[in-house]
Each structure stands twice: as structure tokens, then as C-alpha cells.
Amino acid sequence: MSVRQRNVLWTFFCCGLGVAMVSLDNLVVITALPSIRGDLGGSIQQLEWTVNAYTLTYSVLMLTGAALGDRFGRRRMFGVGLGVFVLASAAAASAPGIGALIAARAVQGLGAALLMPLNLTILTDAAPERRRGALLGAMSAVEGVAIAMGPLLGGAVVEHLSWQWIFWINVPIGAVVLPVSRWKLAESHGPSPRLDLVGTVLASAGLFGIVLGIINGHADHWSSPRVLLSLTGGAVVLVAFVLWELRAQHPMFPMKLFRHRTFSAMNSAGLLMFAGMFGSVFLLTQFLQGPLGYTPLEAGLRILPWTAVPIFVAPLVGLVSDCVGSRTIVALGLAFQAVGLGWIAARVSPGVSYPSLVPALVLCGLGMTFYFSPTANMVMGAVAAEDRGMASGAINALRELGGVLGIAVLASVFSAHGDLTSANRFTDGMIPAVWTGVVLIAFGALAVLLVPRRPRDGRSADPGPAVPGCVGDLV
């Protein structure tokens, strides 16, 4: 094995473990909420903020993390983000009360926002061009599996150890990855010689208003003055951010990226995919533990037909995406995901048998794999090398925003048609909510079809030269 190949493997090792830690924390805490309340007390609203505090800082500061990496060094900021995330995890595990836990979760989100947008850029720079699709596909599969495995891991840890261990487990991982990343990762910078401070503040403030409004939309009602003010104010500030970036000499986020149809379409698809998937998974885990009566661990095990598929299929899909057009693969993935969730919505009832849901879960697993594997390669290959840091930050920020939006919207649909008082009322709300997720993902599939079939500006929508022996672009 050559030195370059070893460095690529070390890079994948560091970035993969970093991504797995951050992605798991999106859902794993939800499973532990009853145990956390038993130990620390707190109101329902405070328990919600143990999830929302992480989501808020994570999604709001993602573009800022990418900008800091471009300016001060991507390897350096990757290490800083990982260190902050690990220290905040230890603080969360040691929290004496619910307030301290919420604060630690907010700091965790800050660390995640510094780490996540840089992993794709670092791996893209390290990967040989002809194998980039396979590596980025495998990295996306790691992220997808980590997200989907959240309920299973959370249930196992809570039942056999304690809720604190969902945070303690990050400490030894960080202790290994931090020195290895310092030793093995190559340093790189973005093209701007200085940080666009005004753009950074405007982007963070605008996203803060949007995300805070979405988080509060369900509890306070979407028409309440506080929610409307938050959403409207965030949108106005984001418009100011765009106007500033169009005039700035060294913008933090080059608006020219949206001229590429691949970049724009895939970011739209990512937002819709995450909205439909996160909202549906959130309801499905509650359905398995509520009306069907499974324990957290039993519920996690029954989602395995969904979560285990990427482990076996993702490497193959990543390799195929290097050989054929990725556009069709991603569109098929979104179609599989929509059909699988539609199957669940059509079959779900208080007395539904679990085996009748297994084919739907497998379809969802295939859909997640087909979507995740080629997406990163498509987005990163659609932009110039110097813009990859911000491109990675954008797609991660929009995915996270989609997850927040999906949970809020599907929860609102659920509450409009059902409640938690009985199994019948739960399914009354779950069925239209999951169908809403299906519609969102279907629109994501339509967005993918906007990706050009052929290069229009000198770049390929499916980057990288054909690998010898492949059949070429079939899209």
C-alpha cells in the first residue's frame, strides 16, 4: 500500500468517526428523554430543549464553521470542533441538572458545526479523483447509518447502562481521533485571505431566526406573533446576507455556487429528503414504543431492516456512482424512500403486525443508501476546488434545517389529526403526518431531475473521469 493510499485511509478514519459521533447525537438523545427526566427532572419544554439546543447551534453555525475552516485551516478547525464536541459531551454526561445539560448540548452543537462542514472538504482533497465517488459514498453511508442507528444505540445504552453513557462514549473516541487527525490530516485553506465578519454575523442571525421559529412553531402555533416575528426577521436578515455577499470583495459564501444547477438542485433535494425522513423516523420510533409497546431497545432492533441495508449496499452504490450517472441513482433512492414510507402510512394501525412493515423498512434502507452514497460526490464535484468548504457547509446546513423543519411540520400534522392519548388516536395522527413526509421526499426526487444530464459549463454534473471498465454515464 502506497503512502498516499494510507493517508486516504487515515483521513477516512478520522472524518468517519467524527461524522458518526455528530450524526448519532441527532436522534440518540430522543430515546433517552424519559430516563433523563427521571434523573434530572424538568418540564416537557426543558426536555425538548435538550434536543433543540443542540439542533439550534448546530444548524445556525454550520456556514460559520465552514468559513472559519477556509480562513484559519480546515484541519485546525476540524480538531477544534472535535475537541469542543468531546468536552461538551463530558459536561453533558456530568450535568447536575437539566439547565446544565441544555447548556452542554448547545456547546455540543457548536463543536458539531465546526466539525461537520469540513469533513467532506478534507476527504475530497485527499481522495484520488477516480475513487472519489466510492469514498464520499462510503462517508455518506456512515452518516446515514449513524442517523438511523440512533434509536437502537440509545435504547441499548439506556437499558443496559445509563443515559449518561450516550455522552461518555464520545470521550474515548475523541481521545483517539484528535491526535491521529493532527498527525495524518493534511492542512488546507480556502481562497479568501480574511474572514467576512459581516457576512458571518448576518448568516448566523438569519438562520437563528428561521430555526428558532421552526422549533417554536409546533408548541406556540405557526400563526403566533413570536413565531411569525422570528421567521420573518430571519428571512429579512438572510436577504440582507445575500445582498451583502453579492457586493463583498471576499464573501464568506460565494453566491455564484447557486448558478450550478447540480448544486442548487441537490441542496433542495437534501432539505426535502431530511425533512421527510427525520420527521417520519421520529414518529416511527414513538409508534414502536407507544402503540406497539416495545422497549427502546426492542424498538431499535425492529428498525434494523432499515438501518442495516446501507452497511451492505453502500460500498457497491458508491463504486457504481463512479461508473454511471449519479442522477438516476439519487432519484431512485428518493423514490424508494417515498414508496417505503408510503407503505408504512398505508399499513400502520394499532394492531399492525411488525412483519408486514419489514419490506417497507428495507425499501427505506435502500432509499437512504441510494440517496446518500452519490450525493456528496455530485455536490462537491459541481463546484471549483476552492469553493468546496462552503459547498460542504451549505449542504450540511440545509440538511440540518430540513431535519428541524420535518420534525416540526410532521408533528404539527400529527397534532392536527391525533394525539398521544390512545393507540387509535396516535395512528390517526401518524398516517397523515407520514404521508406528508412522502410528499416532501417526492418533491425532492423532482428536484434531482433538474440536475443537468450533460456538462454545461465545463464541469460534469457527475464529476470525475470514468473508471476503466465502467459503462459510462447512463443518465
Side-chain angles (χ1 to χ4, degrees):
M1 183 182 294
S2 67
V3 173
R4 178 178 175 81
Q5 288 174 318
R6 285 197 296 270
N7 286 340
V8 170
L9 290 176
W10 280 117
T11 302
F12 186 87
F13 171 81
C14 294
C15 294
L17 283 178
V19 166
M21 282 198 306
V22 171
S23 300
L24 275 170
D25 270 51
N26 275 316
L27 285 174
V28 70
V29 176
I30 294 174
T31 310
L33 288 180
S35 296
I36 292 173
R37 187 180 186 185
D39 278 1
L40 302 182
S43 64
I44 295 298
Q45 289 75 24
Q46 286 177 314
L47 286 175
E48 289 177 353
W49 272 102
T50 62
V51 177
N52 292 338
Y54 176 84
T55 301
L56 186 63
T57 53
Y58 180 24
S59 55
V60 164
L61 298 176
M62 196 87 72
L63 290 179
T64 301
L68 292 173
D70 283 355
R71 174 63 182 87
F72 298 109
R74 291 158 182 159
R75 181 188 68 181
R76 177 182 298 171
M77 295 312 300
F78 179 92
V80 170
L82 184 61
V84 169
F85 188 86
V86 169
L87 290 174
S89 297
S94 307
I98 195 71
L101 177 60
I102 292 171
R105 289 284 288 161
V107 178
Q108 259 194 317
L110 168 62
L114 293 174
L115 186 158
M116 276 296 283
L118 303 177
N119 75 85
L120 286 181
T121 313
I122 292 170
L123 184 59
T124 300
D125 289 342
E129 191 170 9
R130 69 190 188 94
R131 291 291 179 236
R132 186 176 294 156
L135 284 166
L136 291 177
M139 178 61 68
S140 295
V142 168
E143 180 183 3
V145 170
I147 290 171
M149 290 289 284
L152 174 60
L153 180 61
V157 169
V158 169
E159 283 196 28
H160 297 291
L161 295 170
S162 67
W163 67 263
Q164 286 89 347
W165 278 98
I166 65 177
F167 300 114
W168 280 127
I169 196 171
N170 294 329
V171 176
I173 296 174
V176 172
V177 176
L178 271 172
V180 175
S181 65
R182 180 68 181 174
W183 177 36
K184 289 295 184 181
L185 297 186
E187 185 60 282
S188 63
H189 296 78
S192 178
R194 62 184 183 184
L195 182 66
D196 176 13
L197 190 59
V198 174
T200 302
V201 171
L202 287 174
S204 300
L207 287 172
F208 181 84
I210 295 291
V211 176
L212 188 64
I214 292 172
I215 287 173
N216 290 326
H218 171 57
D220 294 350
H221 304 294
W222 293 98
S223 59
S224 70
R226 185 169 77 153
V227 172
L228 290 176
L229 181 62
S230 181
L231 292 173
T232 303
V236 169
V237 174
L238 285 182
V239 170
F241 165 71
V242 172
L243 295 175
W244 171 265
E245 293 299 283
L246 290 172
R247 299 174 55 190
Q249 185 177 3
H250 301 290
M252 73 165 288
F253 187 87
M255 291 296 150
K256 65 182 181 181
L257 294 180
F258 288 104
R259 296 174 187 167
H260 301 292
R261 283 170 57 189
T262 298
F263 180 82
S264 298
M266 293 306 297
N267 274 287
S268 300
L271 185 146
L272 292 167
M273 165 67 173
F274 268 61
M277 184 180 73
F278 260 77
S280 299
V281 169
F282 177 77
L283 291 173
L284 180 60
T285 55
Q286 304 307 308
F287 173 73
L288 291 172
Q289 294 182 53
L292 295 191
Y294 295 118
T295 67
L297 177 58
E298 290 170 342
L301 288 171
R302 279 160 179 78
I303 299 179
L304 273 180
W306 184 339
T307 59
V309 168
I311 299 173
F312 303 102
V313 180
L316 177 61
V317 175
L319 287 171
V320 171
S321 72
D322 280 333
C323 302
V324 302
S326 298
R327 177 175 174 262
T328 300
I329 294 176
V330 176
L332 276 175
L334 290 167
F336 285 150
Q337 188 76 54
V339 171
L341 290 178
W343 186 321
I344 291 172
R347 292 285 305 169
V348 72
S349 69
V352 66
S353 67
Y354 169 74
S356 70
L357 299 178
V358 170
L361 297 175
V362 172
L363 276 174
C364 288
L366 286 172
M368 186 171 67
T369 310
F370 274 57
Y371 167 79
F372 271 110
S373 295
T375 296
N377 196 29
M378 291 177 70
V379 173
M380 300 301 278
V383 302
E386 62 268 19
D387 295 325
R388 285 172 179 163
M390 291 313 304
S392 176
I395 192 170
N396 278 289
L398 287 171
R399 284 177 176 181
E400 189 64 23
L401 184 62
V404 175
L405 180 65
I407 290 176
V409 170
L410 267 64
S412 293
V413 174
F414 174 87
S415 297
H417 296 86
D419 53 48
L420 303 175
T421 57
S422 68
N424 284 320
R425 290 292 295 159
F426 189 99
T427 55
D428 286 344
M430 180 178 175
I431 291 170
V434 175
W435 277 121
T436 303
V438 171
V439 172
L440 291 173
I441 294 172
F443 275 111
L446 293 177
V448 173
L449 297 181
L450 296 176
V451 173
R453 296 187 179 188
R454 290 288 183 264
R456 295 176 183 257
D457 61 353
R459 292 187 189 96
S460 170
D462 291 316
V467 181
C470 292
V471 295
D473 192 346
L474 299 180
V475 182

